[in-house]
Amino acid sequence: PALHDLTEGKVFGVQVALLFMASDEVKEKYLPPAIAGDLSLVYGFTEPQGGSDAYLMETRAVPDGDEWVISGQQVLVTNSPAADVTLLFARTGEGRSPFALSAFVVDMDQPGAKIGQEFGKVGLRTVGLGELLLDEARTPASHLVARKGAGLQVITESTNWERAFLLVTALGQMRRVLGAILEDANDVERGHIR
């Protein structure tokens, strides 16, 4: 799929990360249904103890043949109650090295992967917020995004795209509000009050 295809629907960092950094197998399997709105992709990065500090991440992924086995907990995951698939970050190396994290695409309907509790929110309550729990969940080696140790690169590139898309959404909303304000001001100037 082309980038402009992604921008026609709800787009955030997950889809862009998959488009630019995932294997062809992953792109073909997940992007078409995500673009069509038939698959919910979420971004699992924040943990209970370390928050979004990548160096404190405790979720682990270990290779086992042609699969990775992942265990850990991700919290404050936007739309997790409806998650079909997650772009999940896990420690694949030791220490505070920038190359100790990797990114994986994980199906949430497999043994060892489950959607945990949903958290209450004050705003944007129509989009759920919750946790993802992984207990020796397996994902194919081809679901490693970019390469082993490229987790921080994936985080940086995907969040930069996400911020840009969020800005565009905010600018669109501000333009609509400004248009309504100008219309009201013109009506008042002409002596028409709504």
Side-chain angles (χ1 to χ4, degrees), residues 48-84:
Q49 300 304 317
S52 57
D53 183 341
Y55 291 115
L56 297 177
M57 183 164 285
E58 295 179 2
T59 298
R60 299 236 177 238
V62 294
D64 183 24
D66 62 351
E67 296 180 312
W68 286 89
V69 180
I70 304 173
S71 294
Q73 177 185 14
Q74 304 289 312
V75 297
L76 304 176
V77 179
T78 300
N79 213 29
S80 63
D84 296 312

Short mmCIF file of all heavy atoms in Angstrom, two decimals, residues 48-84:
data_model
loop_
_atom_site.label_atom_id
_atom_site.label_comp_id
_atom_site.label_asym_id
_atom_site.label_seq_id
_atom_site.Cartn_x
_atom_site.Cartn_y
_atom_site.Cartn_z
N PRO A 48 4.49 -0.83 33.66
CA PRO A 48 4.07 -0.35 34.99
C PRO A 48 5.20 0.30 35.80
O PRO A 48 4.99 1.30 36.46
CB PRO A 48 3.56 -1.59 35.70
CG PRO A 48 3.42 -2.65 34.69
CD PRO A 48 4.24 -2.25 33.50
N GLN A 49 6.40 -0.26 35.77
CA GLN A 49 7.48 0.25 36.59
C GLN A 49 8.25 1.39 35.94
O GLN A 49 8.53 2.39 36.58
CB GLN A 49 8.46 -0.88 36.95
CG GLN A 49 7.82 -2.01 37.72
CD GLN A 49 7.13 -1.56 38.99
OE1 GLN A 49 7.66 -0.75 39.74
NE2 GLN A 49 5.94 -2.06 39.24
N GLY A 50 8.59 1.24 34.69
CA GLY A 50 9.46 2.22 34.03
C GLY A 50 8.75 3.22 33.15
O GLY A 50 9.39 4.09 32.56
N GLY A 51 7.43 3.11 33.04
CA GLY A 51 6.71 4.03 32.17
C GLY A 51 7.18 3.86 30.73
O GLY A 51 7.29 2.75 30.23
N SER A 52 7.48 4.97 30.09
CA SER A 52 7.95 4.91 28.71
C SER A 52 9.46 5.11 28.60
O SER A 52 9.97 5.47 27.55
CB SER A 52 7.19 5.93 27.85
OG SER A 52 7.35 7.22 28.38
N ASP A 53 10.17 4.87 29.69
CA ASP A 53 11.64 4.92 29.66
C ASP A 53 12.14 3.60 29.09
O ASP A 53 12.12 2.57 29.75
CB ASP A 53 12.19 5.14 31.07
CG ASP A 53 13.70 5.28 31.11
OD1 ASP A 53 14.38 4.86 30.14
OD2 ASP A 53 14.21 5.80 32.11
N ALA A 54 12.59 3.64 27.85
CA ALA A 54 13.00 2.42 27.15
C ALA A 54 14.09 1.67 27.89
O ALA A 54 14.15 0.44 27.84
CB ALA A 54 13.46 2.78 25.74
N TYR A 55 14.95 2.38 28.57
CA TYR A 55 16.06 1.72 29.27
C TYR A 55 15.60 0.91 30.48
O TYR A 55 16.34 0.07 30.97
CB TYR A 55 17.11 2.74 29.68
CG TYR A 55 17.84 3.33 28.51
CD1 TYR A 55 17.71 4.68 28.20
CD2 TYR A 55 18.65 2.54 27.69
CE1 TYR A 55 18.39 5.22 27.11
CE2 TYR A 55 19.32 3.07 26.60
CZ TYR A 55 19.19 4.41 26.32
OH TYR A 55 19.84 4.94 25.24
N LEU A 56 14.40 1.16 30.97
CA LEU A 56 13.88 0.42 32.12
C LEU A 56 12.93 -0.70 31.72
O LEU A 56 12.32 -1.34 32.58
CB LEU A 56 13.18 1.38 33.08
CG LEU A 56 14.07 2.46 33.70
CD1 LEU A 56 13.25 3.39 34.58
CD2 LEU A 56 15.21 1.83 34.49
N MET A 57 12.77 -0.95 30.43
CA MET A 57 11.84 -1.96 29.95
C MET A 57 12.17 -3.34 30.50
O MET A 57 13.33 -3.75 30.52
CB MET A 57 11.83 -1.99 28.42
CG MET A 57 10.82 -2.97 27.87
SD MET A 57 10.49 -2.68 26.14
CE MET A 57 9.48 -1.21 26.26
N GLU A 58 11.12 -4.04 30.98
CA GLU A 58 11.29 -5.37 31.53
C GLU A 58 10.73 -6.47 30.64
O GLU A 58 11.07 -7.64 30.81
CB GLU A 58 10.66 -5.45 32.92
CG GLU A 58 11.34 -4.55 33.93
CD GLU A 58 10.69 -4.59 35.30
OE1 GLU A 58 9.72 -5.35 35.51
OE2 GLU A 58 11.16 -3.85 36.19
N THR A 59 9.83 -6.13 29.73
CA THR A 59 9.30 -7.13 28.80
C THR A 59 10.47 -7.74 28.04
O THR A 59 11.35 -7.02 27.57
CB THR A 59 8.29 -6.50 27.84
OG1 THR A 59 7.18 -5.98 28.61
CG2 THR A 59 7.77 -7.50 26.83
N ARG A 60 10.49 -9.06 27.95
CA ARG A 60 11.62 -9.76 27.33
C ARG A 60 11.16 -10.60 26.15
O ARG A 60 10.07 -11.16 26.17
CB ARG A 60 12.27 -10.70 28.34
CG ARG A 60 12.81 -9.98 29.53
CD ARG A 60 14.26 -10.26 29.73
NE ARG A 60 14.77 -9.51 30.86
CZ ARG A 60 15.77 -8.66 30.77
NH1 ARG A 60 16.36 -8.46 29.64
NH2 ARG A 60 16.18 -8.00 31.83
N ALA A 61 12.04 -10.70 25.16
CA ALA A 61 11.82 -11.60 24.03
C ALA A 61 13.09 -12.44 23.86
O ALA A 61 14.19 -11.89 23.83
CB ALA A 61 11.55 -10.80 22.77
N VAL A 62 12.90 -13.75 23.79
CA VAL A 62 14.05 -14.64 23.58
C VAL A 62 13.79 -15.50 22.36
O VAL A 62 12.66 -15.96 22.14
CB VAL A 62 14.33 -15.52 24.83
CG1 VAL A 62 14.77 -14.67 26.00
CG2 VAL A 62 13.12 -16.33 25.21
N PRO A 63 14.82 -15.71 21.54
CA PRO A 63 14.63 -16.54 20.35
C PRO A 63 14.46 -18.01 20.73
O PRO A 63 15.08 -18.50 21.67
CB PRO A 63 15.91 -16.31 19.55
CG PRO A 63 16.93 -15.86 20.54
CD PRO A 63 16.19 -15.20 21.66
N ASP A 64 13.60 -18.70 19.96
CA ASP A 64 13.40 -20.13 20.14
C ASP A 64 13.13 -20.72 18.76
O ASP A 64 11.98 -20.68 18.29
CB ASP A 64 12.25 -20.40 21.10
CG ASP A 64 12.06 -21.90 21.37
OD1 ASP A 64 13.03 -22.67 21.22
OD2 ASP A 64 10.94 -22.30 21.72
N GLY A 65 14.17 -21.19 18.09
CA GLY A 65 14.02 -21.70 16.73
C GLY A 65 13.64 -20.57 15.78
O GLY A 65 14.32 -19.54 15.74
N ASP A 66 12.53 -20.75 15.06
CA ASP A 66 12.08 -19.72 14.12
C ASP A 66 10.99 -18.83 14.73
O ASP A 66 10.16 -18.27 14.01
CB ASP A 66 11.61 -20.35 12.81
CG ASP A 66 10.42 -21.29 13.01
OD1 ASP A 66 10.07 -21.59 14.17
OD2 ASP A 66 9.83 -21.71 11.99
N GLU A 67 11.00 -18.71 16.04
CA GLU A 67 10.04 -17.86 16.75
C GLU A 67 10.76 -17.05 17.83
O GLU A 67 11.89 -17.35 18.21
CB GLU A 67 8.96 -18.71 17.43
CG GLU A 67 8.09 -19.49 16.50
CD GLU A 67 7.05 -20.31 17.25
OE1 GLU A 67 7.43 -21.01 18.23
OE2 GLU A 67 5.88 -20.25 16.86
N TRP A 68 10.04 -16.05 18.32
CA TRP A 68 10.46 -15.31 19.52
C TRP A 68 9.42 -15.60 20.59
O TRP A 68 8.22 -15.62 20.31
CB TRP A 68 10.51 -13.81 19.23
CG TRP A 68 11.68 -13.40 18.41
CD1 TRP A 68 11.74 -13.34 17.04
CD2 TRP A 68 12.94 -12.96 18.88
NE1 TRP A 68 12.97 -12.91 16.64
CE2 TRP A 68 13.74 -12.67 17.76
CE3 TRP A 68 13.50 -12.80 20.15
CZ2 TRP A 68 15.04 -12.21 17.85
CZ3 TRP A 68 14.81 -12.35 20.25
CH2 TRP A 68 15.57 -12.06 19.12
N VAL A 69 9.87 -15.79 21.82
CA VAL A 69 8.97 -16.01 22.96
C VAL A 69 9.01 -14.74 23.81
O VAL A 69 10.08 -14.33 24.27
CB VAL A 69 9.41 -17.24 23.77
CG1 VAL A 69 8.45 -17.46 24.94
CG2 VAL A 69 9.47 -18.47 22.88
N ILE A 70 7.84 -14.14 24.01
CA ILE A 70 7.75 -12.83 24.66
C ILE A 70 6.95 -12.92 25.94
O ILE A 70 5.86 -13.49 25.96
CB ILE A 70 7.12 -11.79 23.71
CG1 ILE A 70 7.91 -11.74 22.39
CG2 ILE A 70 7.06 -10.42 24.36
CD1 ILE A 70 7.28 -10.87 21.32
N SER A 71 7.50 -12.32 27.00
CA SER A 71 6.80 -12.25 28.29
C SER A 71 6.95 -10.85 28.86
O SER A 71 8.04 -10.27 28.82
CB SER A 71 7.39 -13.26 29.28
OG SER A 71 7.14 -14.58 28.85
N GLY A 72 5.85 -10.32 29.37
CA GLY A 72 5.87 -9.00 29.99
C GLY A 72 4.50 -8.37 30.03
O GLY A 72 3.50 -9.00 29.68
N GLN A 73 4.46 -7.14 30.46
CA GLN A 73 3.20 -6.40 30.62
C GLN A 73 3.38 -5.00 30.05
O GLN A 73 4.34 -4.31 30.37
CB GLN A 73 2.85 -6.33 32.11
CG GLN A 73 1.61 -5.53 32.42
CD GLN A 73 1.38 -5.39 33.93
OE1 GLN A 73 2.26 -5.67 34.73
NE2 GLN A 73 0.20 -4.94 34.29
N GLN A 74 2.44 -4.60 29.22
CA GLN A 74 2.41 -3.25 28.68
C GLN A 74 1.14 -2.58 29.21
O GLN A 74 0.07 -3.20 29.22
CB GLN A 74 2.37 -3.28 27.15
CG GLN A 74 3.52 -4.04 26.52
CD GLN A 74 4.85 -3.34 26.66
OE1 GLN A 74 4.95 -2.15 26.38
NE2 GLN A 74 5.85 -4.06 27.10
N VAL A 75 1.26 -1.34 29.67
CA VAL A 75 0.11 -0.62 30.23
C VAL A 75 -0.12 0.68 29.48
O VAL A 75 0.73 1.12 28.70
CB VAL A 75 0.29 -0.34 31.74
CG1 VAL A 75 0.37 -1.64 32.52
CG2 VAL A 75 1.51 0.52 31.99
N LEU A 76 -1.26 1.29 29.75
CA LEU A 76 -1.63 2.56 29.13
C LEU A 76 -1.57 2.47 27.61
O LEU A 76 -1.11 3.39 26.93
CB LEU A 76 -0.76 3.71 29.65
CG LEU A 76 -0.78 3.89 31.18
CD1 LEU A 76 0.19 4.99 31.59
CD2 LEU A 76 -2.18 4.18 31.68
N VAL A 77 -2.04 1.35 27.09
CA VAL A 77 -2.02 1.10 25.65
C VAL A 77 -3.35 1.60 25.07
O VAL A 77 -4.41 1.08 25.40
CB VAL A 77 -1.83 -0.40 25.34
CG1 VAL A 77 -1.85 -0.64 23.84
CG2 VAL A 77 -0.54 -0.91 25.96
N THR A 78 -3.26 2.62 24.22
CA THR A 78 -4.46 3.18 23.60
C THR A 78 -5.14 2.13 22.74
O THR A 78 -4.50 1.46 21.93
CB THR A 78 -4.09 4.40 22.74
OG1 THR A 78 -3.49 5.39 23.59
CG2 THR A 78 -5.31 5.00 22.06
N ASN A 79 -6.43 1.98 22.92
CA ASN A 79 -7.30 1.07 22.17
C ASN A 79 -7.01 -0.41 22.46
O ASN A 79 -7.45 -1.28 21.72
CB ASN A 79 -7.22 1.34 20.67
CG ASN A 79 -8.55 1.07 19.99
OD1 ASN A 79 -9.61 1.19 20.60
ND2 ASN A 79 -8.50 0.68 18.74
N SER A 80 -6.29 -0.71 23.53
CA SER A 80 -5.97 -2.11 23.82
C SER A 80 -7.20 -3.00 24.03
O SER A 80 -7.15 -4.17 23.66
CB SER A 80 -5.05 -2.22 25.02
OG SER A 80 -5.67 -1.73 26.18
N PRO A 81 -8.32 -2.49 24.57
CA PRO A 81 -9.47 -3.39 24.72
C PRO A 81 -9.96 -3.96 23.39
O PRO A 81 -10.60 -5.00 23.36
CB PRO A 81 -10.53 -2.50 25.37
CG PRO A 81 -9.73 -1.48 26.12
CD PRO A 81 -8.55 -1.21 25.23
N ALA A 82 -9.64 -3.30 22.28
CA ALA A 82 -10.06 -3.78 20.96
C ALA A 82 -8.89 -4.31 20.14
O ALA A 82 -9.01 -4.53 18.94
CB ALA A 82 -10.73 -2.63 20.20
N ALA A 83 -7.75 -4.54 20.77
CA ALA A 83 -6.52 -4.91 20.05
C ALA A 83 -6.62 -6.28 19.38
O ALA A 83 -6.96 -7.27 20.02
CB ALA A 83 -5.33 -4.90 21.00
N ASP A 84 -6.32 -6.31 18.10
CA ASP A 84 -6.15 -7.57 17.38
C ASP A 84 -4.66 -7.91 17.30
O ASP A 84 -4.27 -9.07 17.43
CB ASP A 84 -6.70 -7.46 15.96
CG ASP A 84 -8.20 -7.23 15.93
OD1 ASP A 84 -8.93 -7.95 16.64
OD2 ASP A 84 -8.65 -6.31 15.22
#
